[in-house]
Amino acid sequence: MWFQDEARLGTKSVLRRCWAKRGVRPTAPHGNGFEWTYIYGFVHPFSGRTDLLRFDTVDTASFSAALSLFKARFDPVDARLLVLVIDNAGWHRSARVVVPPGVHLVFTLPYTPELMPAEHLWLGSAPRMTSRS
């Protein structure tokens, strides 16, 4: 039994205030834009194995490709059934998703991220806030 989730990583420029003399309007070059990449994570909590795949988008075509790569990596000879627990994202439930033979999708209850072991893959990559007293 495997669990799967996606995470969006990237940058988005943010306009910030800057210090300047009163009455002076400084110029500050910046880029208003964003760049994202998506990481598809597969985790087997019983053995601790993980697999991360990078895609430029999150949609049915990317999810289908991720399923094919997952199947090829963990069962290339089609010897076993891979049960994959996923959330209820629209690109997971679409009729256009191509599920490889030997992969069975199981959907979690809606709005229950705490039930997904794959959600914990992203905890280490989140920025941590610290406070000083």
Side-chain angles (χ1 to χ4, degrees):
M1 181 174 286
W2 289 79
F3 295 81
Q4 188 274 333
D5 194 32
E6 300 90 9
R8 179 178 66 187
L9 305 172
T11 61
K12 182 173 182 179
S13 60
V14 177
L15 295 177
R16 303 257 184 215
R17 296 176 187 254
C18 64
W19 290 92
K21 289 184 180 181
R22 195 175 293 259
V24 175
R25 195 165 203 169
T27 59
H30 65 279
N32 283 334
F34 58 90
E35 290 189 30
W36 304 113
T37 191
Y38 296 88
I39 306 296
Y40 287 66
F42 296 85
V43 62
H44 188 257
F46 305 110
S47 69
R49 290 182 73 183
T50 59
D51 190 33
L52 302 175
L53 302 170
R54 184 186 120 358
F55 283 88
D56 293 330
T57 60
V58 63
D59 57 12
T60 56
S62 296
F63 181 61
S64 296
L67 288 176
S68 295
L69 288 169
F70 168 71
K71 170 70 173 169
R73 288 182 183 192
F74 292 102
D75 188 26
V77 294
D78 203 22
R80 47 191 161 155
L81 175 66
L82 298 173
V83 177
L84 186 61
V85 180
I86 57 176
D87 58 22
N88 286 286
W91 55 87
H92 294 163
R93 289 201 162 273
S94 173
R96 295 182 296 169
V97 172
V98 179
V99 180
V103 175
H104 179 70
L105 302 181
V106 175
F107 296 94
T108 60
L109 297 171
Y111 308 107
T112 55
E114 66 277 0
L115 298 179
M116 286 293 289
E119 290 282 343
H120 301 285
L121 288 172
W122 320 124
L123 293 178
S125 62
R128 295 177 192 237
M129 301 298 287
T130 58
S131 62
R132 293 184 180 173
S133 318

